Amino acid sequence: MINTEILGLIAATLTTSAYIPQTYKVLKEKSAKDFSWMWLIFMFVGIFLWFIYGLNIKNIPLIMANGISLISLIVIMVVKYVYRQS
Amino acid sequence: MINTEILGLIAATLTTSAYIPQTYKVLKEKSAKDFSWMWLIFMFVGIFLWFIYGLNIKNIPLIMANGISLISLIVIMVVKYVYRQS
């Protein structure tokens, strides 16, 4: 059904593009203390599996969307670790 | 393919359960300042669309998983708003 596909496409675009301003904020403020390590790790592994799934079925949107989210999560984890004292 | 289904199921379980310790941390520390409003709003709308999609296709796991994430995002937004001065 075309409506269902469009719904999924909009949902995926939103949940991916959400990570761009979030990564910018974390980098600008050099703070990510409010993020839970468990959230970061579970999300990373979960999204990594979606990424692999995208590779398996050779689906470019899935690979792109999850790739962007993975890079963002790595940046947030690095900032959280590096600035853990402040 | 059964492997692909299992991959999706594990991915969905991880990206949903990630929100439970995150919500606990935000509530305990009464701080969510590191979350960007754009991330929160884009994720909320995106996950809400997945929730509607789940309702449309009457898929209980999709409804449950996205319902849990939505409740978590609401809690984070409320904490961020209420404790915005501190």
Side-chain angles (χ1 to χ4, degrees), chain B residues 29-85:
Chain B
E29 299 180 0
K30 297 182 178 60
S31 172
K33 71 165 186 55
D34 291 336
F35 289 89
S36 136
W37 278 116
M38 268 177 85
W39 183 82
L40 287 164
I41 292 163
F42 278 40
M43 289 299 281
F44 186 85
V45 178
I47 293 173
F48 183 73
L49 294 179
W50 282 122
F51 182 77
I52 298 295
Y53 173 81
L55 287 175
N56 275 353
I57 64 167
K58 295 185 176 49
N59 181 302
I60 300 290
L62 262 183
I63 297 168
M64 290 275 290
N66 291 304
I68 291 171
S69 304
L70 284 179
I71 293 167
S72 296
L73 286 171
I74 291 170
V75 171
I76 297 172
M77 285 192 272
V78 168
V79 169
K80 183 174 170 72
Y81 183 76
V82 170
Y83 297 98
R84 67 192 178 283
Q85 311 288 13

Side-chain angles (χ1 to χ4, degrees), chain A residues 19-62:
Chain A
Y19 281 90
I20 298 169
Q22 180 62 68
T23 308
Y24 175 76
K25 179 180 164 70
V26 160
L27 279 175
K28 198 184 69 174
E29 300 180 0
K30 297 182 177 61
S31 173
K33 69 165 187 54
D34 291 335
F35 289 89
S36 135
W37 278 116
M38 269 178 83
W39 183 83
L40 287 164
I41 292 163
F42 278 39
M43 288 300 281
F44 186 85
V45 178
I47 293 173
F48 184 74
L49 294 180
W50 282 122
F51 182 75
I52 298 294
Y53 173 81
L55 288 175
N56 274 353
I57 65 167
K58 295 185 175 50
N59 181 303
I60 300 290
L62 261 183

